[in-house]
Amino acid sequence: MSENFWQRSRGKRRSAPAREKSKKEVEELVAKLSAMGFSENDCRKALKSTNYIEQEAVNILLNNPSKPSNKKSPRKKSPARTKKKSRYLPPPPFAALEEDVEFEKGNFLDCRDKYGMWLEAEVVKLRNDEVLIHYNNWDSKWDEWIPLKDKDKFAPFHRLSVHGKQTKYRMNAKVAIWGPNGLRKWFQGVITDIKHKQVKVTYDESSKNRDCDYWYHYESPDICLIQDFDSYQERLRTQVVDDDPDSNVLPSPNKPPASSSSSSS
């Protein structure tokens, strides 16, 4: 008789109503369970059915056939994240490419081939918005159609293809280059060949998982010695054009800063 009494007593104590939760406590529990991936509505129902006992509510939610919803509790919308801008600025336009080029059959001009080399070329034919180019001293199998809109591939005759010497870049020098063919970012590379006033740079393009080669004219703002790159970027940042805010004409990396009293060899 005594044993039955204590069993009933324990049963009564176990089913006794829990202390009533404050509104703040209820919301905290709902938020805590919602963070586990359950919907806010399911969390409220489970908590209410268990007198707001957290562990029992979790057990109900875990064993619920409809299982946790992937929907999270509504939260305040965070301000839209702006895309992080690159810390490095792109190079300015190459002045040589801003000069006029006449596209008429038989005209000579400088043309940049797919490897980046500036070569003497002749206009063979025009059609719509393209020009057929023949590279002088090369077999006609290398002739190619180039869209006229690709202005970065044309320059006045002998403006960039002319032979001669330059002392700015040497073999095995480390350089920074502006990615060719629309890559639009800076790469670090090494000079692996020099022909007159043009240098070939070998660089690692991660998207191709191999080393790539591309030629640059020594006057181009798309190439800079690696040790001069930070000062070059600083000049781009500090260049303020008060009279013409839309101007994008910036200094060439091959010219030392105005404040510099000596040039590197």
Side-chain angles (χ1 to χ4, degrees):
M1 185 172 179
S2 174
E3 184 178 349
N4 291 337
F5 171 79
W6 284 112
Q7 285 177 349
R8 289 195 299 273
S9 298
R10 285 197 293 274
K12 286 179 182 179
R13 284 198 297 273
R14 196 161 49 243
S15 60
R19 176 180 68 83
E20 187 177 347
K21 300 282 187 182
S22 68
K23 186 175 180 180
K24 181 180 178 181
E25 290 173 320
V26 170
E27 293 304 320
E28 287 177 352
L29 285 172
V30 170
K32 189 174 182 181
L33 297 185
S34 296
M36 297 179 186
F38 302 106
S39 71
E40 182 179 339
N41 193 39
D42 289 344
C43 293
R44 291 188 184 279
K45 287 180 180 178
L47 285 168
K48 189 173 182 180
S49 66
T50 59
N51 265 339
Y52 300 96
I53 298 173
E54 181 183 340
Q55 189 56 54
E56 290 185 15
V58 170
N59 291 337
I60 288 175
L61 291 167
L62 290 173
N63 292 297
N64 191 339
S66 62
K67 235 186 165 179
S69 163
N70 289 328
K71 293 181 181 179
K72 295 186 178 180
S73 59
R75 297 180 181 176
K76 283 185 177 180
K77 289 185 179 179
S78 57
R81 292 184 179 180
T82 54
K83 188 176 179 180
K84 189 176 180 180
K85 294 183 179 179
S86 171
R87 56 177 291 204
Y88 299 126
L89 297 174
F94 193 3
L97 307 183
E98 301 293 310
E99 299 173 20
D100 292 333
V101 177
E102 293 185 7
F103 296 99
E104 291 184 11
K105 185 176 178 179
N107 275 8
F108 291 100
L109 71 164
D110 285 354
C111 188
R112 197 175 196 183
D113 69 9
K114 64 180 181 180
Y115 304 104
M117 174 74 79
W118 286 99
L119 301 169
E120 297 176 349
E122 180 182 357
V123 176
V124 177
K125 192 184 296 185
L126 290 162
R127 72 176 182 195
N128 299 328
D129 297 325
E130 292 181 310
V131 58
L132 180 61
I133 292 296
H134 169 72
Y135 295 104
N136 296 355
N137 303 318
W138 288 82
D139 193 276
S140 59
K141 71 177 183 180
W142 298 108
D143 292 2
E144 61 178 333
W145 287 97
I146 301 177
L148 292 172
K149 65 179 182 180
D150 293 349
K151 294 184 177 181
D152 59 338
K153 291 192 174 183
F154 305 111
F157 189 52
H158 278 175
R159 175 65 178 82
L160 299 173
S161 65
V162 67
H163 295 180
K165 287 186 178 181
Q166 57 81 30
T167 57
K168 176 71 177 178
Y169 299 104
R170 299 179 181 179
M171 284 291 293
N172 301 316
K174 292 183 179 180
V175 292
I177 58 167
W178 183 247
N181 303 318
L183 289 175
R184 298 193 59 77
K185 64 178 180 179
W186 290 98
F187 293 89
Q188 182 172 324
V190 177
I191 293 177
T192 52
D193 197 2
I194 298 175
K195 286 186 179 178
H196 305 291
K197 296 184 178 183
Q198 302 185 64
V199 297
K200 183 172 77 171
V201 178
T202 299
Y203 65 99
D204 177 21
E205 187 183 329
S206 55
S207 63
K208 294 185 178 179
N209 294 319
R210 62 180 174 83
D211 287 343
C212 299
D213 297 324
Y214 205 72
W215 287 85
Y216 291 84
H217 193 276
Y218 89 103
E219 291 180 343
S220 172
D222 294 353
I223 182 171
C224 177
L225 288 169
I226 201 70
Q227 65 263 31
D228 297 335
F229 185 66
D230 286 341
S231 60
Y232 174 40
Q233 284 288 311
E234 188 60 30
R235 293 204 310 277
L236 294 182
R237 292 191 196 95
T238 56
Q239 182 75 17
V240 179
V241 185
D242 294 326
D243 297 333
D244 185 6
D246 296 326
S247 174
N248 57 0
V249 178
L250 296 170
S252 164
N254 300 298
K255 295 180 181 178
S259 59
S260 177
S261 57
S262 62
S263 59
S264 57
S265 59

